[in-house]
Amino acid sequence: MTDEQLMQSFGEGDYEAFEVLYQKHKGGVYRYLLRQTASKSVAEDLFQDVWSQVIAGAANYKVTAKFTTWLYTIARNKLIDGVKHNKVVEKVLDTDCDTRENEDKLADDAKERHRPDIAYEQERQMVAIKHCVGRLPSTQLECFLLREEAGLALADIAEMVGSGLEAAKSRLRYAYKNLRECLENKLGSQRVRQPAASCGR
């Protein structure tokens, strides 16, 4: 069954259909909220609000768009409301100083636990990715997360953020460009691969 069919089944009382949808999309929704707010507690509150609205709207759900577009529109609106009401600063990571401290801690842990070099390198890359994603301008960050976390098409992203298709494509292209440059600076060009996703899709 498609996501849309599952949601319709849930609206008719099939709670197993909701469980399938929840298990499939909970990770992406939570990461989207967490990376936009940089606050675990705020993200968790918004996460609950999103799924509460999904449940509340099940009986009246109509297939006017992809389920993921509908779901992330709810998430985006909750995020905007949360920022307004809680004065949350839209950022993804801590300061550069905190990032350096994290890198130092990883190095110390690797030495203390005698972990293989590859394990340390993987964690170092994760720290670098978090750092670089956090440096993206908010408009690029939103398009990037909707693409990578939600898997939305460019047309759906453009509609959600209220921009033209070319503007959304440009934001996404610059997001990948900025990420690559930042990662090359943090990790070295030999360790940075071309982004897997295409900006033109």
Side-chain angles (χ1 to χ4, degrees), residues 139-140 143 154 157-158 161-175 199:
T139 54
Q140 293 178 22
C143 289
L154 273 170
I157 294 173
V161 303
S163 72
L165 182 61
E166 289 303 316
K169 185 184 297 185
S170 177
R171 291 175 187 177
L172 195 57
R173 183 183 300 113
Y174 278 109
C199 297

PDB file of all heavy atoms in Angstrom, residues 139-140 143 154 157-158 161-175 199:
ATOM      1  N   THR A 139      17.634  29.365   4.410  1.00  0.00           N
ATOM      2  CA  THR A 139      16.857  28.992   3.223  1.00  0.00           C
ATOM      3  C   THR A 139      17.444  27.760   2.543  1.00  0.00           C
ATOM      4  O   THR A 139      16.712  26.892   2.065  1.00  0.00           O
ATOM      5  CB  THR A 139      16.804  30.158   2.224  1.00  0.00           C
ATOM      6  OG1 THR A 139      18.142  30.594   1.930  1.00  0.00           O
ATOM      7  CG2 THR A 139      16.005  31.321   2.778  1.00  0.00           C
ATOM      8  N   GLN A 140      18.779  27.673   2.502  1.00  0.00           N
ATOM      9  CA  GLN A 140      19.430  26.501   1.925  1.00  0.00           C
ATOM     10  C   GLN A 140      19.245  25.282   2.824  1.00  0.00           C
ATOM     11  O   GLN A 140      19.019  24.168   2.345  1.00  0.00           O
ATOM     12  CB  GLN A 140      20.917  26.773   1.717  1.00  0.00           C
ATOM     13  CG  GLN A 140      21.221  27.825   0.665  1.00  0.00           C
ATOM     14  CD  GLN A 140      22.703  28.101   0.533  1.00  0.00           C
ATOM     15  OE1 GLN A 140      23.539  27.280   0.907  1.00  0.00           O
ATOM     16  NE2 GLN A 140      23.047  29.269   0.005  1.00  0.00           N
ATOM     17  N   CYS A 143      15.705  23.698   2.399  1.00  0.00           N
ATOM     18  CA  CYS A 143      15.591  22.932   1.154  1.00  0.00           C
ATOM     19  C   CYS A 143      16.400  21.641   1.228  1.00  0.00           C
ATOM     20  O   CYS A 143      15.951  20.583   0.772  1.00  0.00           O
ATOM     21  CB  CYS A 143      16.052  23.776  -0.031  1.00  0.00           C
ATOM     22  SG  CYS A 143      14.914  25.113  -0.473  1.00  0.00           S
ATOM     23  N   LEU A 154      11.675  18.476  -6.045  1.00  0.00           N
ATOM     24  CA  LEU A 154      11.909  19.917  -6.080  1.00  0.00           C
ATOM     25  C   LEU A 154      10.608  20.712  -6.170  1.00  0.00           C
ATOM     26  O   LEU A 154      10.463  21.754  -5.534  1.00  0.00           O
ATOM     27  CB  LEU A 154      12.813  20.266  -7.261  1.00  0.00           C
ATOM     28  CG  LEU A 154      14.317  20.188  -6.994  1.00  0.00           C
ATOM     29  CD1 LEU A 154      15.090  20.315  -8.292  1.00  0.00           C
ATOM     30  CD2 LEU A 154      14.743  21.282  -6.025  1.00  0.00           C
ATOM     31  N   ILE A 157       9.089  20.850  -2.774  1.00  0.00           N
ATOM     32  CA  ILE A 157       9.855  21.744  -1.901  1.00  0.00           C
ATOM     33  C   ILE A 157       9.533  23.197  -2.221  1.00  0.00           C
ATOM     34  O   ILE A 157       9.302  24.015  -1.322  1.00  0.00           O
ATOM     35  CB  ILE A 157      11.365  21.482  -2.059  1.00  0.00           C
ATOM     36  CG1 ILE A 157      11.715  20.085  -1.541  1.00  0.00           C
ATOM     37  CG2 ILE A 157      12.179  22.543  -1.315  1.00  0.00           C
ATOM     38  CD1 ILE A 157      13.154  19.673  -1.813  1.00  0.00           C
ATOM     39  N   ALA A 158       9.511  23.518  -3.508  1.00  0.00           N
ATOM     40  CA  ALA A 158       9.217  24.889  -3.926  1.00  0.00           C
ATOM     41  C   ALA A 158       7.845  25.329  -3.425  1.00  0.00           C
ATOM     42  O   ALA A 158       7.670  26.454  -2.941  1.00  0.00           O
ATOM     43  CB  ALA A 158       9.287  24.999  -5.449  1.00  0.00           C
ATOM     44  N   VAL A 161       7.974  25.873   0.549  1.00  0.00           N
ATOM     45  CA  VAL A 161       8.701  27.048   1.042  1.00  0.00           C
ATOM     46  C   VAL A 161       8.230  28.337   0.386  1.00  0.00           C
ATOM     47  O   VAL A 161       8.710  29.424   0.725  1.00  0.00           O
ATOM     48  CB  VAL A 161      10.226  26.883   0.846  1.00  0.00           C
ATOM     49  CG1 VAL A 161      10.718  25.627   1.537  1.00  0.00           C
ATOM     50  CG2 VAL A 161      10.603  26.859  -0.633  1.00  0.00           C
ATOM     51  N   GLY A 162       7.297  28.223  -0.561  1.00  0.00           N
ATOM     52  CA  GLY A 162       6.736  29.411  -1.183  1.00  0.00           C
ATOM     53  C   GLY A 162       7.668  30.102  -2.154  1.00  0.00           C
ATOM     54  O   GLY A 162       7.677  31.334  -2.249  1.00  0.00           O
ATOM     55  N   SER A 163       8.448  29.313  -2.880  1.00  0.00           N
ATOM     56  CA  SER A 163       9.362  29.894  -3.865  1.00  0.00           C
ATOM     57  C   SER A 163       9.087  29.280  -5.227  1.00  0.00           C
ATOM     58  O   SER A 163       8.354  28.301  -5.349  1.00  0.00           O
ATOM     59  CB  SER A 163      10.817  29.629  -3.472  1.00  0.00           C
ATOM     60  OG  SER A 163      11.142  28.260  -3.669  1.00  0.00           O
ATOM     61  N   GLY A 164       9.687  29.845  -6.259  1.00  0.00           N
ATOM     62  CA  GLY A 164       9.590  29.255  -7.577  1.00  0.00           C
ATOM     63  C   GLY A 164      10.475  28.024  -7.671  1.00  0.00           C
ATOM     64  O   GLY A 164      11.360  27.811  -6.831  1.00  0.00           O
ATOM     65  N   LEU A 165      10.245  27.228  -8.694  1.00  0.00           N
ATOM     66  CA  LEU A 165      11.020  26.004  -8.871  1.00  0.00           C
ATOM     67  C   LEU A 165      12.500  26.309  -9.053  1.00  0.00           C
ATOM     68  O   LEU A 165      13.357  25.641  -8.465  1.00  0.00           O
ATOM     69  CB  LEU A 165      10.494  25.226 -10.084  1.00  0.00           C
ATOM     70  CG  LEU A 165      11.178  23.884 -10.374  1.00  0.00           C
ATOM     71  CD1 LEU A 165      10.994  22.927  -9.209  1.00  0.00           C
ATOM     72  CD2 LEU A 165      10.605  23.271 -11.658  1.00  0.00           C
ATOM     73  N   GLU A 166      12.817  27.315  -9.855  1.00  0.00           N
ATOM     74  CA  GLU A 166      14.217  27.655 -10.098  1.00  0.00           C
ATOM     75  C   GLU A 166      14.892  28.167  -8.831  1.00  0.00           C
ATOM     76  O   GLU A 166      16.076  27.905  -8.599  1.00  0.00           O
ATOM     77  CB  GLU A 166      14.321  28.697 -11.219  1.00  0.00           C
ATOM     78  CG  GLU A 166      14.003  28.146 -12.596  1.00  0.00           C
ATOM     79  CD  GLU A 166      14.888  26.968 -12.969  1.00  0.00           C
ATOM     80  OE1 GLU A 166      16.115  27.043 -12.727  1.00  0.00           O
ATOM     81  OE2 GLU A 166      14.360  25.969 -13.491  1.00  0.00           O
ATOM     82  N   ALA A 167      14.147  28.896  -8.011  1.00  0.00           N
ATOM     83  CA  ALA A 167      14.715  29.399  -6.756  1.00  0.00           C
ATOM     84  C   ALA A 167      15.039  28.244  -5.816  1.00  0.00           C
ATOM     85  O   ALA A 167      16.101  28.220  -5.179  1.00  0.00           O
ATOM     86  CB  ALA A 167      13.745  30.368  -6.085  1.00  0.00           C
ATOM     87  N   ALA A 168      14.128  27.271  -5.735  1.00  0.00           N
ATOM     88  CA  ALA A 168      14.373  26.101  -4.884  1.00  0.00           C
ATOM     89  C   ALA A 168      15.564  25.307  -5.401  1.00  0.00           C
ATOM     90  O   ALA A 168      16.406  24.839  -4.625  1.00  0.00           O
ATOM     91  CB  ALA A 168      13.126  25.218  -4.842  1.00  0.00           C
ATOM     92  N   LYS A 169      15.643  25.158  -6.719  1.00  0.00           N
ATOM     93  CA  LYS A 169      16.762  24.435  -7.319  1.00  0.00           C
ATOM     94  C   LYS A 169      18.080  25.149  -7.023  1.00  0.00           C
ATOM     95  O   LYS A 169      19.094  24.515  -6.710  1.00  0.00           O
ATOM     96  CB  LYS A 169      16.553  24.319  -8.829  1.00  0.00           C
ATOM     97  CG  LYS A 169      17.603  23.473  -9.539  1.00  0.00           C
ATOM     98  CD  LYS A 169      17.400  23.480 -11.049  1.00  0.00           C
ATOM     99  CE  LYS A 169      16.085  22.860 -11.443  1.00  0.00           C
ATOM    100  NZ  LYS A 169      15.955  22.757 -12.931  1.00  0.00           N
ATOM    101  N   SER A 170      18.066  26.470  -7.099  1.00  0.00           N
ATOM    102  CA  SER A 170      19.271  27.255  -6.832  1.00  0.00           C
ATOM    103  C   SER A 170      19.701  27.117  -5.373  1.00  0.00           C
ATOM    104  O   SER A 170      20.892  26.949  -5.075  1.00  0.00           O
ATOM    105  CB  SER A 170      19.020  28.724  -7.167  1.00  0.00           C
ATOM    106  OG  SER A 170      20.150  29.514  -6.855  1.00  0.00           O
ATOM    107  N   ARG A 171      18.738  27.169  -4.449  1.00  0.00           N
ATOM    108  CA  ARG A 171      19.061  27.030  -3.027  1.00  0.00           C
ATOM    109  C   ARG A 171      19.684  25.665  -2.746  1.00  0.00           C
ATOM    110  O   ARG A 171      20.649  25.557  -1.988  1.00  0.00           O
ATOM    111  CB  ARG A 171      17.800  27.207  -2.182  1.00  0.00           C
ATOM    112  CG  ARG A 171      17.244  28.617  -2.179  1.00  0.00           C
ATOM    113  CD  ARG A 171      15.926  28.692  -1.427  1.00  0.00           C
ATOM    114  NE  ARG A 171      15.308  30.003  -1.560  1.00  0.00           N
ATOM    115  CZ  ARG A 171      14.123  30.324  -1.045  1.00  0.00           C
ATOM    116  NH1 ARG A 171      13.444  29.424  -0.358  1.00  0.00           N
ATOM    117  NH2 ARG A 171      13.628  31.536  -1.217  1.00  0.00           N
ATOM    118  N   LEU A 172      19.123  24.641  -3.368  1.00  0.00           N
ATOM    119  CA  LEU A 172      19.638  23.297  -3.148  1.00  0.00           C
ATOM    120  C   LEU A 172      21.030  23.139  -3.752  1.00  0.00           C
ATOM    121  O   LEU A 172      21.921  22.534  -3.148  1.00  0.00           O
ATOM    122  CB  LEU A 172      18.677  22.278  -3.753  1.00  0.00           C
ATOM    123  CG  LEU A 172      18.852  20.817  -3.329  1.00  0.00           C
ATOM    124  CD1 LEU A 172      18.752  20.673  -1.822  1.00  0.00           C
ATOM    125  CD2 LEU A 172      17.801  19.946  -4.008  1.00  0.00           C
ATOM    126  N   ARG A 173      21.219  23.704  -4.932  1.00  0.00           N
ATOM    127  CA  ARG A 173      22.525  23.626  -5.586  1.00  0.00           C
ATOM    128  C   ARG A 173      23.600  24.300  -4.733  1.00  0.00           C
ATOM    129  O   ARG A 173      24.685  23.753  -4.530  1.00  0.00           O
ATOM    130  CB  ARG A 173      22.459  24.282  -6.964  1.00  0.00           C
ATOM    131  CG  ARG A 173      23.773  24.178  -7.743  1.00  0.00           C
ATOM    132  CD  ARG A 173      23.691  24.899  -9.077  1.00  0.00           C
ATOM    133  NE  ARG A 173      22.650  24.345  -9.934  1.00  0.00           N
ATOM    134  CZ  ARG A 173      21.546  24.987 -10.300  1.00  0.00           C
ATOM    135  NH1 ARG A 173      21.325  26.224  -9.864  1.00  0.00           N
ATOM    136  NH2 ARG A 173      20.667  24.414 -11.088  1.00  0.00           N
ATOM    137  N   TYR A 174      23.284  25.486  -4.213  1.00  0.00           N
ATOM    138  CA  TYR A 174      24.254  26.192  -3.381  1.00  0.00           C
ATOM    139  C   TYR A 174      24.468  25.480  -2.047  1.00  0.00           C
ATOM    140  O   TYR A 174      25.559  25.535  -1.476  1.00  0.00           O
ATOM    141  CB  TYR A 174      23.811  27.636  -3.152  1.00  0.00           C
ATOM    142  CG  TYR A 174      24.163  28.549  -4.296  1.00  0.00           C
ATOM    143  CD1 TYR A 174      23.184  29.060  -5.141  1.00  0.00           C
ATOM    144  CD2 TYR A 174      25.496  28.893  -4.554  1.00  0.00           C
ATOM    145  CE1 TYR A 174      23.511  29.887  -6.208  1.00  0.00           C
ATOM    146  CE2 TYR A 174      25.831  29.721  -5.615  1.00  0.00           C
ATOM    147  CZ  TYR A 174      24.834  30.214  -6.437  1.00  0.00           C
ATOM    148  OH  TYR A 174      25.170  31.027  -7.492  1.00  0.00           O
ATOM    149  N   ALA A 175      23.429  24.812  -1.553  1.00  0.00           N
ATOM    150  CA  ALA A 175      23.585  24.048  -0.309  1.00  0.00           C
ATOM    151  C   ALA A 175      24.618  22.943  -0.497  1.00  0.00           C
ATOM    152  O   ALA A 175      25.524  22.771   0.329  1.00  0.00           O
ATOM    153  CB  ALA A 175      22.243  23.458   0.117  1.00  0.00           C
ATOM    154  N   CYS A 199      20.720  17.921  -7.894  1.00  0.00           N
ATOM    155  CA  CYS A 199      19.953  19.142  -7.663  1.00  0.00           C
ATOM    156  C   CYS A 199      18.850  19.308  -8.686  1.00  0.00           C
ATOM    157  O   CYS A 199      17.912  20.058  -8.468  1.00  0.00           O
ATOM    158  CB  CYS A 199      20.882  20.359  -7.709  1.00  0.00           C
ATOM    159  SG  CYS A 199      22.137  20.349  -6.420  1.00  0.00           S
TER     160      CYS A 199
END
